[in-house]
């Protein structure tokens, strides 16, 4: 997986996992962590997710970070609704998913997830024997990417006039999110 995608995923708390079972789609939000180029998450030993994975190891995962909503009047003076949009950064990952069997890999994934979601610490490392029963009762899933791409929408292909009009409106509105959006618009301008 590309370093830029890994860095982006490390800033997000959850994404959406999409599976297919019996020719029916199934998607669910999950907390996740990236580790050694794969995506790990945890869950129950039973249920729809486990059955879907056992039946079909193909999976897709997506995660998105939303930025400023761009009202139609911010980029057009014709009064139409269609220029309205939202700027965002997202990643789309396809791959193969499996249930992790190896104990140390499970522990490493859970330690990485805890470090991500509770970075201030305050818990015993999951290598502690006190966790053995809980870890044995938990499934750890590993999604190994076969294809991964980052998608950015920050008005990169807009005309200079529309691009500058949006920046002007975002500056006037001036929220923290708008200022971050302006920064990313300028960074990713074609």
């Amino acid at each position: 997986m590309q370093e830029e995608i890994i860095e982006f995923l490390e800033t997000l708390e959850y994404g959406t996992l999409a599976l297919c079972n019996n020719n029916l789609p199934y998607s669910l939000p999950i907390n996740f962590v990236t580790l050694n180029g794969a995506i790990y998450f945890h869950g129950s030993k039973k249920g729809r997710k486990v059955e879907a994975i056992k039946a079909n190891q193909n999976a897709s995962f997506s995660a998105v970070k939303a930025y400023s909503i761009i009202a139609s009047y911010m980029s057009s003076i014709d009064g139409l609704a269609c220029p309205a949009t939202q700027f965002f950064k997202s990643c789309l990952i396809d791959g193969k998913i499996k249930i992790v069997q190896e104990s140390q890999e499970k522990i490493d994934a859970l330690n990485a997830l805890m470090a991500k979601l509770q970075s201030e610490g305050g818990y015993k490392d999951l290598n502690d024997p006190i966790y053995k029963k809980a870890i044995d009762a938990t499934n750890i899933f590993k999604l190994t990417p076969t294809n991964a791409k980052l998608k950015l929408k920050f008005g990169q292909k807009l005309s200079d006039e529309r691009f500058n009009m949006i920046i002007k409106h975002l500056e006037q509105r001036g929220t923290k999110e708008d200022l971050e959006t302006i920064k990313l618009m300028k960074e990713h301008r074609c």
Side-chain angles (χ1 to χ4, degrees), residues 31-166:
N31 289 112
F32 68 93
V33 68
T34 57
L35 184 63
N36 301 322
I39 296 170
Y40 288 86
F41 58 97
H42 71 291
S44 174
K45 290 269 191 176
K46 296 180 181 179
R48 186 174 178 188
K49 176 173 50 189
V50 173
E51 295 308 313
I53 291 168
K54 286 180 179 178
N56 185 343
Q57 289 191 321
N58 293 309
S60 285
F61 176 80
S62 64
V64 65
K65 181 171 182 179
Y67 288 89
S68 294
I69 291 178
I70 308 302
S72 61
Y73 63 81
M74 291 179 153
S75 69
S76 175
I77 57 171
D78 60 13
L80 296 175
C82 53
T85 191
Q86 183 163 23
F87 288 170
F88 64 88
K89 184 187 279 192
S90 67
C91 73
L92 307 167
I93 298 170
D94 295 322
K96 298 286 185 182
I97 195 166
K98 71 173 194 167
I99 299 170
V100 175
Q101 302 298 328
E102 202 271 313
S103 180
Q104 192 58 53
E105 186 177 5
K106 289 174 76 171
I107 291 168
D108 292 345
L110 288 168
N111 270 326
L113 186 63
M114 284 300 297
K116 178 181 179 181
L117 299 178
Q118 191 173 317
S119 60
E120 70 275 13
Y123 58 90
K124 291 181 182 181
D125 186 280
L126 281 107
N127 281 294
D128 191 302
I130 195 167
Y131 295 115
K132 182 171 178 14
K133 187 175 178 181
I135 290 170
D136 288 345
T138 302
N139 264 339
I140 301 299
F141 305 93
K142 178 182 182 179
L143 175 62
T144 303
T146 55
N147 185 38
K149 67 179 181 177
L150 198 59
K151 182 176 180 181
L152 308 171
K153 183 177 180 183
F154 291 107
Q156 300 95 309
K157 297 180 181 181
L158 293 175
S159 68
D160 288 343
E161 180 183 6
R162 288 184 68 200
F163 187 85
N164 292 327
M165 192 175 176
I166 290 171

